[in-house]
């Protein structure tokens, strides 16, 4: 299944994971077998809240991610699952329904059709005029992991937020995350490996002053929700081509971040510097080989 050109990077995840970031990891089937009993228990809890497969998915991978997320104890894990299923049943019902139905349509015929994903995106008729594959794209890696790449400095966030509300942008971001999460679960079964979603933030051209505060607010709100709703999904966050002043500020403040956040962060100058259009890093693109090599070096080394 090939995937491209919808999701925008959200924000740095503070989720904990029991895995290192090495490309080598236990097979999915071995993980499912090891945690079979716990998965069954979580499914029973979820199904007691809703019998809708969109709200409480039937696939085991969805629940395996809760088991591997590194919650403090079983009580915290169960509380997180209940809260997320309740969200999927109420406030998030329209979002997850749109996403799951769009994925089903996109996969018909055995070849991914991203048009279904874009057409179903909440407020996509407006948002996608500003977030195009030129500046925000999701593609797959040879490892099977997904990677979404965004160039915030190339987005007219002021124009975008003059056309949509903060809540509407949050809905769009969460829809994108639901699509990526569901696709990652499907691909995990196909590849027999629990796949991650790597974030690649190319900050070239980012303005240190100005921009839309509403856009930043929508990113922040969506990120906080997504970090709770999608456990054990996020891989490393790659921060690329930071402006000099911003880079200095990041180095000043990163020691204050929680260890789990710092573990996920990687900084680098150079990757994507020769890529004008992010479609060049999609499968078949001229810039893909260099991009893959850079991501492999930054995302999978300890």
């Amino acid at each position: 299944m090939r995937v491209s050109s919808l999701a925008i990077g959200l924000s740095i995840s503070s989720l904990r994971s029991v895995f290192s970031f090495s490309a080598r990891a236990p097979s999915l089937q071995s993980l499912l077998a090891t945690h079979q009993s716990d998965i069954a228990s979580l499914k029973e809890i979820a199904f007691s809240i809703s019998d809708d497969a969109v709200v409480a998915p039937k696939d085991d991978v969805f629940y395996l991610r809760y088991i591997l997320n590194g919650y403090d104890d079983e009580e915290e894990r169960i509380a997180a699952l209940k809260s997320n299923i309740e969200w999927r049943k109420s406030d998030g019902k329209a979002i997850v329904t749109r996403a799951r139905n769009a994925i089903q349509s996109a996969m018909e015929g055995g070849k991914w059709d991203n048009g279904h994903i874009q057409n179903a995106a909440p407020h996509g008729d407006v948002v996608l005029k500003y977030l195009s594959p030129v500046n925000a794209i999701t593609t797959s890696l040879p490892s099977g992991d997904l990677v979404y790449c965004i160039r915030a400095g190339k987005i007219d966030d002021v124009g975008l937020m003059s056309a949509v509300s903060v809540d509407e942008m949050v809905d769009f971001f969460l829809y994108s995350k639901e699509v990526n999460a569901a696709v990652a679960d499907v691909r995990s079964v196909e590849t027999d490996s629990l796949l991650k979603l790597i974030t690649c933030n190319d900050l070239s051209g980012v303005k240190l002053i100005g921009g839309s505060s509403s856009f930043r607010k929508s990113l922040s709100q969506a990120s906080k929700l997504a970090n709770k709703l999608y456990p054990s999904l996020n891989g490393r966050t790659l921060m690329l081509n930071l402006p000099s002043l911003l880079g200095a500020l990041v180095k000043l403040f990163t020691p204050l971040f929680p260890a789990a956040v710092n573990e996920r962060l990687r900084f680098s100058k150079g990757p994507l510097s020769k890529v004008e259009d992010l479609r060049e890093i999609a499968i078949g693109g001229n810039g893909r080989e260099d991009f893959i090599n850079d991501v492999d070096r930054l995302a999978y080394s300890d």
Side-chain angles (χ1 to χ4, degrees), residues 203-250:
L203 298 173
S204 56
V206 168
K207 297 178 181 178
L208 301 182
I209 300 176
S212 170
S213 61
S214 294
F215 186 68
R216 293 191 292 270
K217 182 178 180 180
S218 65
L219 280 170
S220 177
Q221 289 185 6
S223 177
K224 289 177 182 178
L225 280 169
N227 285 343
K228 294 194 307 178
L229 293 169
Y230 303 101
S232 297
L233 176 64
N234 293 331
R236 281 233 164 94
T237 295
L238 312 183
M239 308 292 287
L240 307 178
N241 306 315
L242 278 72
S244 298
L245 179 56
L246 181 58
L249 291 173
V250 168

Side-chain angles (χ1 to χ4, degrees), residues 38-232:
D38 290 333
I39 290 171
S41 296
L42 292 182
K43 291 175 80 172
E44 184 177 354
I45 293 170
F47 297 165
S48 71
I49 298 173
S50 175
D51 60 2
D52 185 339
V54 169
V55 174
K58 308 295 184 184
D59 61 284
D60 290 353
V61 180
F62 179 89
Y63 302 94
L64 178 65
R65 293 190 185 275
Y66 284 85
I67 293 168
L68 300 180
N69 192 53
Y71 295 108
D72 288 338
D73 52 38
E74 185 68 12
E75 182 178 353
E76 184 181 9
R77 177 179 296 109
I78 291 174
L81 175 66
K82 288 182 175 180
S83 175
N84 290 350
I85 297 298
E86 288 290 354
W87 176 84
R88 298 174 70 87
K89 184 180 178 180
S90 54
D91 292 347
K93 180 66 180 294
I95 293 171
V96 298
T97 300
R98 278 174 176 258
R100 297 281 171 155
N101 289 343
I103 291 171
Q104 185 175 357
S105 297
M107 293 173 61
E108 288 178 354
K111 184 178 180 181
W112 182 264
D113 182 354
N114 205 61
H116 293 286
I117 304 298
Q118 293 178 320
N119 291 338
H123 320 294
D125 57 330
V126 176
V127 175
L128 292 173
K129 293 178 182 177
Y130 297 87
L131 299 184
S132 73
V134 173
N135 54 34
I137 193 170
T138 299
T139 187
S140 57
L141 300 173
S143 65
D145 286 336
L146 300 179
V147 54
Y148 52 65
C149 187
I150 174 178
R151 279 181 161 159
K154 303 296 184 181
I155 297 172
D156 178 10
D157 55 355
V158 174
L160 171 58
M161 297 311 295
S162 70
V164 295
S165 68
V166 169
D167 287 343
E168 288 170 341
M169 273 310 307
V170 170
D171 285 350
F172 178 88
F173 288 143
L174 292 178
Y175 169 85
S176 300
K177 197 75 168 187
E178 175 71 17
V179 168
N180 282 332
V183 169
D185 286 355
V186 171
R187 288 177 57 86
S188 292
V189 174
E190 294 175 349
T191 61
D192 194 28
S193 178
L194 187 65
L195 301 183
K196 296 285 187 176
L197 183 62
I198 296 167
T199 302
C200 180
N201 288 307
D202 181 11
L203 298 173
S204 56
V206 168
K207 297 178 181 178
L208 301 182
I209 300 176
S212 170
S213 61
S214 294
F215 186 68
R216 293 191 292 270
K217 182 178 180 180
S218 65
L219 280 170
S220 177
Q221 289 185 6
S223 177
K224 289 177 182 178
L225 280 169
N227 285 343
K228 294 194 307 178
L229 293 169
Y230 303 101
S232 297

